[in-house]
């Protein structure tokens, strides 16, 4: 867009036709300062830092890591073993097991099976060991941020 003198408009030249755009700038919704608190309430970011430092949050993270790190190590080891065996021992992988099914096909299907098994185990672990504590943290965090934003507690 260009102004009347032909130069490009910038943010200072823009006029907004939205009547709600400057509602707060016109003083609507602001306190008159008479009942202003002595000190400013903490900002929401401070609430999240406080929650992150809490023992409950650290416990949820610890439970997460205690499951995920070994599971990822086992799964990646199994995957790398499959790839290494497929490239370095083709005779072993081509050995028939039953009819046209060979070791490579069984190992490949085992990859799919272990993917689903690890997914099921992860969901079960999260449901039994982390979800309740994480939900409690979420509610506590929402309550604290509501208080810092001046809402009802």
């Amino acid at each position: 867009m260009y102004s009347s003198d032909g130069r490009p408009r910038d943010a200072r030249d823009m006029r907004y036709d939205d009547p709600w755009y400057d509602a707060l700038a016109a003083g609507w919704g602001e306190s008159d300062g008479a009942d202003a608190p002595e000190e400013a309430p903490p900002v929401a970011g401070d609430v999240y830092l406080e929650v992150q430092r809490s023992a409950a949050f650290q416990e949820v993270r610890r439970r997460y890591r205690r499951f995920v790190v070994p599971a990822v190590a086992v799964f990646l080891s199994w995957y790398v073993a499959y790839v290494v065996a497929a490239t370095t021992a083709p005779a072993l992988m081509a050995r028939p097991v039953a009819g046209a099914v060979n070791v490579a096909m069984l190992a490949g299907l085992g990859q799919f099976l272990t993917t689903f098994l690890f997914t099921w185990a992860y969901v079960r672990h999260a449901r039994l060991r982390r979800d309740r504590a994480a939900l409690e943290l979420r509610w506590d965090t929402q309550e604290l941020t509501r208080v810092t934003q001046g809402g009802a507690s």
Side-chain angles (χ1 to χ4, degrees):
M1 297 181 72
Y2 294 93
S3 63
S4 60
D5 61 353
R7 62 184 175 85
R9 283 188 167 185
D10 62 1
R12 293 171 297 202
D13 295 331
M14 298 294 282
R15 181 176 172 270
Y16 293 98
D17 294 327
D18 183 5
W20 295 102
Y21 179 75
D22 288 274
L24 289 178
W28 204 50
E30 296 177 0
S31 67
D32 59 357
D35 57 349
E38 294 291 324
E39 58 187 50
V43 285
D46 294 337
V47 170
Y48 289 104
L49 289 174
E50 179 183 331
V51 169
Q52 184 179 7
R53 292 182 194 115
S54 72
F57 182 82
Q58 295 303 321
E59 178 64 20
V60 170
R61 294 295 298 166
R62 185 184 64 79
R63 289 178 182 175
Y64 172 78
R65 281 190 217 107
R66 282 184 58 187
F67 178 84
V68 170
V69 171
V72 167
V74 168
F75 186 78
L76 286 178
S77 299
W78 162 229
Y79 177 74
V80 168
Y82 173 73
V83 172
V84 168
T87 56
T88 60
L92 170 71
M93 298 299 270
R95 182 175 295 158
V97 175
V101 177
N102 59 17
V103 173
M105 291 175 82
L106 288 179
L109 290 173
Q111 291 286 318
F112 284 103
L113 179 65
T114 55
T115 300
F116 291 118
L117 180 68
F118 276 119
T119 303
W120 170 81
Y122 175 82
V123 170
R124 183 175 183 274
H125 180 268
R127 182 174 33 91
L128 295 176
R129 307 223 191 264
R130 294 191 324 263
D131 285 352
R132 184 176 307 273
L135 186 61
E136 289 172 6
L137 276 171
R138 178 181 175 195
W139 285 115
D140 293 345
T141 305
Q142 287 180 348
E143 183 64 27
L144 289 171
T145 55
R146 186 178 306 119
V147 169
T148 61
Q149 295 169 353
S153 48

